Amino acid sequence: MRLREALLTGILCLYSPASSTPAKHSWTIGQTVYTQGGPVSGHAASSAKNVSTYLGIPYAKPPIGDLRFAPPQGYYNHKPIDGSKFGHSCPQANVFGGSTPPNTKGKNLTAAGLAALVDLNFGYADSSEDCLTLNVWTKPQFGEKGKAVLIWVYGGGYTIGSSSDPIYDGQYIADQEDVVLVTFNYRLNIFGFPGAPGYHKNLGILDQRLAIEWVRDNIRAFGGDPKRISLFGQSAGGGSIDMYSFAYADDPIAAGLVLESGTTAIGTFTAETTAESWYTVTSTLGCGDNTTVPATQMACMRTKPSENITNAIPLVNQAYGSAFFWPTIDEEIAFSDYPARLAAGKFAKVPLLIGNTNYEAGYHRAIASVFDQYLSDAEWDGFNLVSFTCPAATRSAASVAAGLPTFRYRYFGNFPELALTTVPDSGAYHASEVLPIFDTVGAGSGGAEVSGDLVRMGIYLRGMMGMFARDPAEGLVKYGWPKYDVKGETLVRLGWENGVGPNPGVADVYDADCP
């Protein structure tokens, strides 16, 4: 702890991401906050004792009964809300397909690699359809009266994930950066992206929109500024935010967007493809097939226990489980012509921070190995380009062309305590920056001791997020970052040689093989 505090002081003095002499305001830690859903009681965070924590706040009615497979409806009430514990995780299928456990012998997995396997199943046991809740971390007694707000959107391939995962603990960002940090649950898999013909397809994105609207309407009571809300998310979380930027281009609510290793390139299905998966599940449950009247079929599906529904999803052993239910093209939330929309600038006109890790495949490769699935080095390199590097290049270029403040990075941090495998080297893999950003390395590294280099990296990354949140257009410029241009040394190489600070490079070095 002393090492972390000393490094924090040194780095904050160097980059000044937050006020060094915070003003004091009237606020009692954990005091009751009044929201549209009722008064919420909070408590002090477990480590950052100046941070008030409010967990499990409902932002929507439970999506059960006639609200299963339906758009979310806002939650309005006057009953007290106990904010002492997280809400349920949303239902999700077993990522390991319910088959024999993955084979970890001889796979060269480290403690962090084994922890990553455990995390893939986090939240499965405590799941419930009554899961549309959010969490808030704040310390209004210090600093700005109207603080910038960061809303986290978790990843997991639209198939797994939960805001209660310990790696997304918001207390450390809120404490260091004097921002309000919000996380929330959204429906996943068949419950979030059902593809039922004649019904709304992208319920998970609608959940996200409703949660963001809740933040806009209620965050002032927690000390937040509803005009300075930024969204940040990783993998499918970044993809969700990118999708959101097109769906709500004229009213994004957010003042800034952060896409970490995720764009619309993560994927959408056609309505026909998702319908086939839907009929596979309905047939298994005795609710009919493509010849059944949709209303009759839906009525049947709304009577089935959620566990039966998740168990009926076809099982595939892969990094994010059975990807049979993803965002579906409906030309309202998910579109079929993203390249054309990018070229025409049909997305939210707000500042953008976007990037990816240097070797995204390091994660997928490690997980695939435990299922004895192997690709060549060239194939993994192609996966990196097609899924992450090139989409980030295209999206950032479109943002620049639209005249928006744009910042692009490539993350190189490769720390021994976070390595997933020893051979091959997992490198700066997919999601390897998430633990340092949240300062939750202990929750995801298998208990490894954290080095000074990694502590410094985390402090710097949280500062990066704080600077962007407080001033999306110019904050990172004050942090020493160049605004991105497709030419010149404007791609920030984060964690270059495991050091902190911006290390600009030329994007073409990494984008050369992009179409």
Side-chain angles (χ1 to χ4, degrees), residues 50 155 176 297 322 405 409 411 511:
N50 283 323
Q176 177 182 311
Q297 188 174 75
S322 304
Y409 71 85
Y411 181 72
D511 302 343

Side-chain angles (χ1 to χ4, degrees), residues 185-264:
N185 288 339
Y186 61 94
R187 282 174 286 180
L188 302 160
N189 219 309
I190 191 173
F191 294 97
F193 305 94
Y199 293 85
H200 288 279
K201 307 293 190 293
N202 298 300
L203 306 178
I205 306 300
L206 297 180
D207 292 346
Q208 294 176 19
R209 173 67 180 191
L210 188 60
I212 294 165
E213 290 176 347
W214 187 100
V215 173
R216 176 198 62 196
D217 297 339
N218 293 273
I219 207 64
R220 195 181 299 277
F222 295 87
D225 181 353
K227 294 183 179 180
R228 286 198 296 165
I229 295 172
S230 290
L231 311 180
F232 75 128
Q234 187 270 340
S235 193
S240 294
I241 294 170
D242 197 17
M243 191 177 304
Y244 177 97
S245 76
F246 290 92
Y248 301 99
D250 297 330
D251 181 25
I253 298 176
L257 306 176
V258 183
L259 311 184
E260 302 175 48
S261 302
T263 64
T264 56

